[in-house]
Amino acid sequence: MQTRTLGRTGPAVSALGLGAMGMSGAYGAADRTESIATVHAALEAGVTLIDTGDFYAMGHNELLLAEALHGRDRDSYALSVKFGMLRGPGHEFGGTDARPEAVKNFLAYSLTRLGTDHIDIYRPARLDPAVPIEETVGAIAEMIDAGHVRHVGLSEVDAATIRRAHAVHPIADLQIEYSLLSRAVEADILPTLRELGIGLTAYGVLSRGLISGHWSTDRAAPGDIRGSSPRFSSGNVEHNLALVEALRRVAEEKGCTVAQLAIAWVAAQGSDVGDIVPLVGARTRGRLAEALPAVELDLTADDLAEIEKAVPAGAARGDRYPPAFMSTLGAGN
C-alpha cells in the first residue's frame, strides 16, 4: 500500500482510507460480523486511515470500530473522527454544536467509545454558524496540548473558513465530498488547500455507490439514506446512470472496473506530493477487495481525457444532499 502525508503537518497514512459510516446502517442494514471482518481485511491490506463520526448511528460506529480494532497496535492505524452533529431519538438531525466546551465533551465520549487515549485527526463535521471557527479550532488545539488529539481537521467548509482556521492552528486536512459527480472543490477550495499545505481526504468518491457500477434504479432499501438523495430520485438517477455506462466503456478499455476507475480518478487529481486521499465506504470484504487496486491504477493523460468526455464536470443531475443539508456545505455540488 502506498502512503501519503496529509498536508505539511499531518500524519502519514495509506493512499486509500476506509470510511466506516455504512457499517452502521446509513445505507440499510449492515452485517456486524462482515463489517468487522472488512476492517480487519483493510488493516491487513495496509489501509491505515479509518474515518468515523460520533453521530454515526449515535455512537454505534465508534463502538463497532473499538471492537474491530481491539488488540491492534495503536500506532498501526490513524483514526479520523468528526463531531458536533446533533441528533434526536428518532435519528433526526438537529444542527451543529462546535462550542469549545462541546468539543471537549464530544471528545471525551469518543475516546471512551473507541477505547483509545487519543484521536489522530479530530474535526467538526460541519461549521457551527453560531461559533467562530477560531474558537472551535482553539479548543481542539488545547486537546492536542493535553495529548488527547494529534491533528486538527476540517470538514465541508469554504476557502475563507479554511484560512481562518489555519491561522489559529495548522490544519492537517479537509474532508469533503469529491468525485466525478461532485467537483465544486476544484474552483476555490483545492487551490487554497495547496497554497496552505493542507491535505484533502475525499469522501463520496463513488457518490454513495451511484457510480460504483453496481447500482440499479430500484435498490434503495428501507433505512437507506439514498432514498432521500436528489441524485437517486426518479428522473435524476436514470440520467446519472447513463453517465456511469459511458464511464463503464472507458473502464472496460482500461481493463478495470467502474469503481476502480472512479476512485483512481480522484487520486489522480492530487498533486505530485499526493495531497488527496480517497476514502472508500466499503462495508464488505468484496467491495474492499475491488477498491484496493484503484490506487495502483495509472491513468494517462489520454485516460483522463476519455473520463472527462464520459462524465464532464457538472454533468450530474440533482444535488448531492437534500435541500435542508445543502446550506450546511462549504462547497456546492
Side-chain angles (χ1 to χ4, degrees):
M1 174 63 69
Q2 301 174 19
T3 60
R4 301 282 185 269
T5 299
L6 292 176
R8 296 188 189 126
T9 62
V13 298
S14 51
L16 190 73
L18 179 66
M21 182 180 75
M23 298 178 182
S24 293
Y27 301 130
D31 183 276
R32 185 180 189 85
T33 300
E34 181 62 22
S35 295
I36 292 173
T38 301
V39 174
H40 291 168
L43 294 169
E44 289 156 12
V47 174
T48 61
L49 179 61
I50 301 175
D51 180 75
T52 184
D54 63 8
F55 52 93
Y56 291 170
M58 284 61 70
H60 174 276
N61 202 241
E62 291 180 320
L63 292 169
L64 178 73
L65 287 178
E67 184 176 348
L69 296 169
H70 182 71
R72 299 272 175 170
D73 179 358
R74 183 61 183 87
D75 293 330
S76 68
Y77 60 89
L79 284 170
S80 164
V81 179
K82 294 181 290 296
F83 70 89
M85 296 285 278
L86 304 177
R87 304 193 70 174
H91 297 191
E92 68 276 9
F93 285 93
T96 303
D97 188 352
R99 295 169 300 141
E101 56 266 45
V103 171
K104 298 169 186 178
N105 176 77
F106 289 131
L107 176 60
Y109 279 89
S110 284
L111 291 171
T112 300
R113 284 190 293 257
L114 287 163
T116 185
D117 63 353
H118 71 277
I119 304 297
D120 296 280
I121 312 173
Y122 201 51
R123 68 183 85 242
R126 295 290 185 272
L127 184 67
D128 185 340
V131 179
I133 191 64
E134 291 87 350
E135 294 184 13
T136 303
V137 171
I140 301 174
E142 288 181 23
M143 295 296 94
I144 291 176
D145 292 340
H148 304 306
V149 174
R150 296 289 185 264
H151 303 279
V152 181
L154 297 172
S155 176
E156 288 287 357
V157 294
D158 61 19
T161 302
I162 294 168
R163 292 184 184 279
R164 289 169 53 198
H166 193 66
V168 175
H169 189 279
I171 304 300
D173 72 318
L174 169 72
Q175 188 176 120
I176 198 164
E177 187 164 352
Y178 190 24
S179 73
L180 278 164
L181 299 190
S182 299
R183 296 175 60 175
V185 299
E186 294 174 346
D188 298 316
I189 292 174
L190 195 50
T192 299
L193 296 178
R194 287 179 172 153
E195 175 193 337
L196 299 176
I198 299 171
L200 188 153
T201 46
Y203 77 88
V205 293
L206 297 179
S207 296
R208 297 165 184 79
L210 183 57
I211 55 173
S212 66
H214 302 295
W215 187 264
S216 62
T217 58
D218 58 354
R219 286 185 44 195
D224 191 327
I225 60 173
R226 290 171 289 197
S228 61
S229 170
R231 286 188 178 163
F232 288 83
S233 65
S234 179
N236 289 345
V237 70
E238 292 83 1
H239 168 86
N240 293 330
L241 288 176
L243 299 174
V244 176
E245 291 311 305
L247 191 62
R248 193 187 304 277
R249 290 190 286 273
V250 181
E252 289 172 351
E253 292 177 3
K254 188 68 177 174
C256 63
T257 70
V258 175
Q260 289 166 353
L261 191 66
I263 297 167
W265 180 88
V266 173
Q269 307 313 301
S271 68
D272 292 339
V273 295
D275 55 2
I276 296 177
V277 174
L279 298 172
V280 294
R283 52 181 174 155
T284 67
R285 285 168 287 181
R287 291 288 187 258
L288 174 68
E290 180 183 11
L292 287 171
V295 292
E296 305 290 343
L297 192 60
D298 182 31
L299 299 182
T300 67
D302 288 342
D303 293 332
L304 293 171
E306 288 301 310
I307 293 169
E308 186 73 25
K309 284 196 291 186
V311 188
R317 185 173 292 173
D319 290 334
R320 57 188 175 106
Y321 280 101
F325 284 90
M326 288 301 294
S327 63
T328 70
L329 305 179
N333 287 326

